Amino acid sequence: MILTTAIHIALAILMLALILTAIRVIIGPTLADRVLALDQLVAIAIGFIAVIAVKTSFELYIDIALALGLVGFLTTAAFARYIYVKAGREDET
């Protein structure tokens, strides 16, 4: 009973975080804000996967969450590199 209630509360909080973060992705205002919001969306997705793993007792979801965390880190690093290179080119002109 307590676990079921905690799972539902966690899913509701994650859904609220997902909506607020999606608004940040859409509104911006800068590219860096959007990249950070996308990184936060990855973290929220990992949270969803972890809660569903607890709810279903299916341990493979934890491996999926770990893989998503690694991919999310690499994409954030790639976006950061892109922003850095783009800012460097704008300074030279």
Side-chain angles (χ1 to χ4, degrees), residues 26-93:
I26 294 169
I27 293 175
T30 65
L31 180 61
D33 289 327
R34 289 186 173 103
V35 169
L36 288 174
L38 287 172
D39 187 43
Q40 184 64 33
L41 282 177
V42 170
I44 292 169
I46 292 170
F48 270 115
I49 293 170
V51 171
I52 297 301
V54 170
K55 182 178 180 179
T56 61
S57 299
F58 195 57
E59 295 175 3
L60 182 63
Y61 287 142
I62 301 300
D63 294 335
I64 295 169
L66 286 171
L68 181 60
L70 291 172
V71 170
F73 170 74
L74 290 175
T75 56
T76 302
F79 273 127
R81 177 74 178 163
Y82 170 75
I83 292 171
Y84 178 74
V85 169
K86 183 178 176 185
R89 287 184 185 161
E90 289 176 359
D91 291 339
E92 292 175 0
T93 57

Side-chain angles (χ1 to χ4, degrees), residues 6-23:
I7 288 171
H8 290 310
I9 291 171
L11 288 174
I13 291 170
L14 285 168
M15 185 59 69
L16 178 64
L18 180 78
I19 292 168
L20 293 174
T21 306
I23 291 171

